[in-house]
Amino acid sequence: MNIGDVAERTGLPPKTIRYYEDIGLVTPLRSDNGYRRFRDSDMHKLAFLGRARALGFSIDDCRDLLALWEDQSRASGDVRRIAQGHLDAIEQKIEDLSAMRDTLRKLVTCCVGDDRPDCPILDDLARA
Amino acid sequence: MNIGDVAERTGLPPKTIRYYEDIGLVTPLRSDNGYRRFRDSDMHKLAFLGRARALGFSIDDCRDLLALWEDQSRASGDVRRIAQGHLDAIEQKIEDLSAMRDTLRKLVTCCVGDDRPDCPILDDLARA
DNA sequence: CATAGGGGTTCCAGTCACGGGAAGGTCAAG
DNA sequence: CTTGACCTTCCCGTGACTGGAACCCCTATG
């Protein structure tokens, strides 16, 4: 399979696939003409990566998850730890964003938003 | 005021303040020795920027907000539009993260996380 | 007077995970 | 033979800084 086929099947852009090779996440073979030749195993790895990335795992986490996936004698506890850590980070981010949202909602609600210059949003930013 | 004083009073690191000068958000004066000399107005701008950034506004938004703040004949509607747009983006982000969180929670709950290799998390990533 | 320290300055490189675009090789169809 | 769709490598840009190197300035102390 050439990169275009893999891109279509995994949903990953060719650029991303090349990047993943660059940083050593996959190592496709090469045809005589220099084109990358992907085995099924390469494609499955890339699909795995795509789904892990879609869940927000960092590339470093993905590397670890991939290694655990390949390792038949892994401990599922290691996988869980990574996932739990990521989950914690996401929950923290949601909290931070929710606080911003609440503040912004209040400000937006307070501001009449017409042609006049008086603006509680700017007032708040000017001295909170 | 030197950069250190401003950093302390605004809570912004000196590096960040220099960066903000670099991209034209503030233009402090210079002393004879080459040190930046910040007026009170500079410090207020920086404090304003710090609070806007803390609410998650992009630098570009901050630039616009700062200009509106300085413009006595602004329309508060312009400010509100920026804030509303940012609020929408934040809400979208929270939604995306919440979806990830829900999926991850399920997976983490399903995984026993012991020394055995069986792992629903990896199973899910391997073919969802 | 020398020096030690705690300021400040500039500039360069790195972060994260790619994306855009240039310049050029390869291949199948018309 | 040419067209067009692929593929290749390489380099730069993203956002908003952060770290570090190399160097200057100012004050206080031995």
Side-chain angles (χ1 to χ4, degrees), chain A residues 83-98, chain B residues 97-98 100-102 104-105:
Chain A
Q84 182 67 60
H86 180 45
L87 177 53
D88 292 347
I90 284 185
E91 285 176 341
Q92 181 59 57
K93 229 177 221 172
I94 291 177
E95 258 189 64
D96 295 349
L97 287 173
S98 298
Chain B
L97 287 172
S98 297
M100 290 182 195
R101 180 199 53 194
D102 294 345
L104 279 168
R105 267 195 192 152

Side-chain angles (χ1 to χ4, degrees), chain B residues 3-78:
Chain B
I3 199 169
D5 306 317
V6 180
E8 199 174 347
R9 295 204 204 181
T10 60
L12 296 173
K15 279 273 190 186
T16 299
I17 298 174
R18 292 195 194 99
Y19 172 66
Y20 287 172
E21 184 190 10
D22 250 27
I23 62 174
L25 289 179
V26 280
T27 42
L29 305 173
R30 294 288 179 144
S31 302
D32 291 346
N33 58 12
Y35 288 18
R36 288 170 183 80
R37 192 156 55 79
F38 294 84
R39 291 154 292 190
D40 279 1
S41 60
D42 296 321
M43 215 205 47
H44 291 135
K45 273 197 203 182
L46 287 166
F48 181 101
L49 288 168
R51 284 186 285 263
R53 291 286 301 135
L55 282 179
F57 285 104
S58 71
I59 290 284
D60 270 1
D61 278 350
C62 286
R63 195 186 303 274
D64 294 344
L65 289 171
L66 206 50
L68 288 166
W69 184 42
E70 309 262 85
D71 176 8
Q72 296 304 325
S73 71
R74 70 191 161 243
S76 63
D78 291 341

Side-chain angles (χ1 to χ4, degrees), chain B residues 91-109:
Chain B
E91 286 176 339
Q92 182 59 56
K93 231 179 220 172
I94 290 177
E95 257 190 66
D96 295 349
L97 287 172
S98 297
M100 290 182 195
R101 180 199 53 194
D102 294 345
T103 303
L104 279 168
R105 267 195 192 152
K106 270 183 214 152
L107 291 175
V108 167
T109 306

